Amino acid sequence: MSKRIQAKHKLDRRMGQNIWGRPKSPVNRREYGPGQHGQRRKGKMSDFGTQLRAKQKLKGYYANITEKQFRRYYAEAIRQKGDSGENLVGLLERRLDAVVYRAKFVATPFAARQFVNHGHVKVNGRRVNIPSYLVKPGDVIEVKDKSKQLEVVVVASQLAERDVPDYIEVDHSKMTARVTRIPTLSEVPYPVQMEPNLVIEFYSR
């Protein structure tokens, strides 16, 4: 498992957007970037800069996936039939930690990665502790019995700031979830606009 060594809210400020839609985001108070040069006037961004920014934003949203892993998702996305940008989002949303987050078993993507890594989650009755495990439509994800009363789980399931998307069926009384289909970009409830097509262009250079 990769470990995020950078303060996650710095990404919010660098992008100038509340990427995860969290009330605590510093962007809600300061819309300029971090550091001593954060308030400097921004010039027009190049095409490369725009594409790089789109990649950093999408990669950072999923608990800051490593570059090596993210490039593998790109390679798989262009190998599949159909729109490569849509394929990329579909792959990212099939990650086990992403499903755990979407199901509101925990409050943040970072907590979801840790939750899975610590062995609190089962897929089709078997314990899986790999956050990047790709869930298939129809798979049943559940929180282990011993973990259902953890405070992070109880609090997250009651969060009002986000809803469970339509492509995931959740029963919070049993702490189970099922992915019904691979979502399209328009179905994924990103708090900010994501541009996977620019990510594909960035890696295709």
Side-chain angles (χ1 to χ4, degrees):
M1 185 184 86
S2 62
K3 183 179 180 182
R4 173 179 254 287
I5 57 175
Q6 177 188 11
K8 56 179 174 282
H9 285 313
K10 275 191 178 179
L11 184 62
D12 270 5
R13 290 186 62 196
R14 192 164 72 238
M15 297 297 159
Q17 294 176 300
N18 186 352
I19 292 176
W20 297 282
R22 299 287 290 164
K24 292 181 180 179
S25 174
V27 174
N28 297 336
R29 302 186 303 276
R30 298 184 296 272
E31 294 187 357
Y32 51 86
Q36 67 185 70
H37 303 298
Q39 295 188 63
R40 279 202 294 194
R41 184 178 297 176
K42 295 172 184 167
K44 189 176 186 298
M45 194 174 290
S46 65
D47 288 345
F48 175 81
T50 303
Q51 293 163 358
L52 176 62
R53 190 183 181 91
K55 186 204 74 162
Q56 290 173 327
K57 188 164 60 171
L58 188 62
K59 188 171 78 140
Y61 179 85
Y62 290 93
N64 208 39
I65 299 170
T66 64
E67 180 63 26
K68 183 178 180 180
Q69 196 172 47
F70 200 66
R71 188 177 281 273
R72 282 206 301 266
Y73 287 128
Y74 157 75
E76 178 61 20
I78 61 173
R79 190 189 66 79
Q80 294 178 354
K81 292 181 179 179
D83 183 276
S84 298
E86 292 277 355
N87 293 342
L88 178 60
V89 168
L91 287 166
L92 293 169
E93 283 295 304
R94 284 175 55 202
R95 284 176 58 98
L96 180 56
D97 58 356
V99 175
V100 166
Y101 169 64
R102 293 288 183 220
K104 291 176 68 173
F105 292 158
V106 290
T108 70
F110 303 95
R113 176 183 288 186
Q114 188 178 55
F115 194 70
V116 173
N117 191 63
H118 287 183
H120 296 296
V121 177
K122 294 195 289 187
V123 179
N124 298 329
R126 297 180 63 184
R127 187 171 72 93
V128 177
N129 62 356
I130 302 170
S132 61
Y133 176 90
L134 289 183
V135 175
K136 298 186 292 292
D139 283 353
V140 176
I141 296 89
E142 63 181 311
V143 177
K144 285 175 59 180
D145 288 340
K146 290 182 179 179
S147 308
K148 289 178 181 178
Q149 298 306 314
L150 289 174
E151 185 179 359
V152 290
V153 176
V154 175
V155 171
S157 65
Q158 297 171 353
L159 280 176
E161 63 193 53
R162 61 188 174 91
D163 297 320
V164 176
D166 292 341
Y167 51 90
I168 297 177
E169 293 178 351
V170 178
D171 184 343
H172 281 126
S173 65
K174 296 180 181 177
M175 282 297 165
T176 61
R178 188 172 70 88
V179 177
T180 58
R181 65 182 184 280
I182 298 173
T184 61
L185 174 60
S186 61
E187 291 179 303
V188 180
Y190 294 121
V192 297
Q193 183 182 6
M194 293 295 181
E195 299 165 300
N197 58 310
L198 294 181
V199 179
I200 300 297
E201 290 175 13
F202 175 85
Y203 284 120
S204 302
R205 295 177 74 88

